[in-house]
Amino acid sequence: MNEPLLTARDLHKSFGGVAAVKGADVEIRNGELMCIIGPNGAGKSTLLNLLCGVTQVDSGEILFEGQDIGRLPVHGFARAGIVRKFQTPAVFTSLSTRENLRIAGDAVGIFYADAEIDKMLERIALITEAHTRAGDLAHGKKQWLEMGLCLMTRPKLLLLDEPTAGMTDAETLATVILLKSLAADIATVVIEHDMSFVRELNVRTCVMHQGEIVRDSSFVDIEKDPFIQEIYLGTE
């Protein structure tokens, strides 16, 4: 990992006079897996929205592969290779798991052979549900399917907002394995409240508080930081 894949400098976003993101600086490198944590209302989802163009910045700069994309419409971010998964799974409920994956590729002009779709089904642990209606999948498996939809578009940067919400412990652990397997070729940023999940990932972690990034370090250091314990993690 040499030059940053994405560099965001001094990002600001306010809604009705309320500053949701204040002066955020973010740097993400190719193949990097990182987490963003913080209390409810800290600005985490707004920051992710800025990084994928869903929300336009009030001020600041977003560079992706050296190009300024901060003022592009959301489809411009997507074409650059930035894909976002939201908190609530959004899948084609009347179609099978396999058909969902094929449509995701078709939507960006990528044709996948059956064997390639099988490989993705295995990667997201849904090979036995290949012909199951997506609407009939358990919530955790819908989360995996939507991650698969994102991956079928061959993103360079994957943004995940609470990907383990509603998952069982076993599903959460499988998601840890999945995300770590992506690190070789896809940069991934995860917002998450489940500290056991973040602890298992054990990667670089940014902490947001009142719209600002107040810490950016390893999770080991974050977890024992007295200030972070006070504002978010708590103490035993």
Side-chain angles (χ1 to χ4, degrees), residues 101-122:
L101 294 178
R102 186 177 296 282
I103 284 177
D106 290 346
V108 293
I110 302 172
F111 172 78
Y112 285 98
D114 289 343
E116 293 175 297
I117 295 176
D118 285 342
K119 186 175 180 179
M120 180 60 69
L121 287 165
E122 291 172 352

Side-chain angles (χ1 to χ4, degrees), residues 144-157:
W144 286 343
L145 176 56
E146 190 176 13
M147 285 185 233
L149 299 184
C150 294
L151 294 174
M152 294 296 278
T153 69
R154 297 179 184 170
K156 298 174 183 176
L157 174 60

